[in-house]
Amino acid sequence: MSDDAQSAIPTGTATGIGSLPGTDPRGAAALAAGELGGSGLVFLPELPARGVGADVIGRTAGLLVDLPVDYVHRTYRLAASPTAETRRARDYLRWDLDALEERWETADLRGEAGVVKIQAAGPFTFAAHVELRGGHKVIRDRGALRDVAASLAAGLDGQAAELERRLGVRVVVQLDEPSIGDVIDGTVTPLTRLDPILPIPVPEIAQLLEGVAQQVARPMILHSCAPPRWELLRAARSYALSMDLTQLRVADYDRFGETLDSGRTLLAGVVPAVDPGLPQNQVADDLVTRLTGLIDRIGLPRGVFREQLLVTSTCGLAGATVSWARAALAISTTVADALTTA
């Protein structure tokens, strides 16, 4: 993805990471579109509380093309033929798409919000949690990993095309990679201690991610709530970045500044993912102060808020109450609005 494609992601606004509490797709679509449908980046909600097939790994399994997945002994596993788990995951995805389309039509949003974000586990996180039929993790087999990446890219392309057709929008694709640090470090849990999973070099990881971006051919976001891996983020040039800024240490400030100075788009995770028990206006004011202080400290112009940043929660909102999920999206919007005039 080129810098022009990254610029297609709306900035100076708010969005959500993807997950929301509850099990009602209509309610989730109403929440996401209701809080962000004016000027924010609306996202297709994920509802992991529905169980197997709705969590980030199961949901991603439902996107794969020609790679069915089973659920065995509380673990996802590649299967030889379509399974009930694969069908359930695809049903959830279809219901979520239906709910968002219904909300779009009810709220007459067609033409009002031109970009929508979809999310899935990235190939490395998926491969670190899913087993081959023999019990080993997919990540252990480079060929299987490449097959998963190609299948996922095809599935994301198909889902994006369907959403574009249904809503008349452009689609941004977010890959969630919370386990990518374990892949880099070689700390993915193996089948046995005697058969460790070797680390994958960052250049190889970046090359595969770039291949996914080329196949999907839409604006891409690389998300992780874990501490940033700067070497990878620098190498994955086709991706806008989404990170939990509360994970930044003082030692990270130079590389964070270099990332923004290079023109990368950033989803700035700052709003608490669970209710901190404080008034919303106090939370918003504190976050504006902290973000402006951070940008001032690293010596960048405040125009980056308008030109390169979106405000979001530190991580997904599945563990929040419905009331806090709504508040978190509203606070994200308030902070984004305040930063654009800071």
Side-chain angles (χ1 to χ4, degrees), residues 177-188:
E177 285 283 12
S179 298
I180 207 161
D182 293 329
V183 173
I184 293 170
D185 296 338
T187 55
V188 175

Side-chain angles (χ1 to χ4, degrees), residues 209-231:
L209 289 174
E210 290 292 308
V212 171
Q214 290 175 14
Q215 189 174 345
V216 175
R218 290 172 178 84
M220 302 291 291
I221 298 167
L222 185 62
H223 165 73
S224 177
C225 300
R229 298 300 183 115
W230 296 110
E231 184 183 358

Side-chain angles (χ1 to χ4, degrees), residues 190-208:
L191 180 62
T192 73
R193 290 182 299 172
L194 301 178
D195 191 23
I197 297 171
L198 298 177
I200 299 180
V202 166
E204 187 176 334
I205 292 174
Q207 183 180 30
L208 188 142

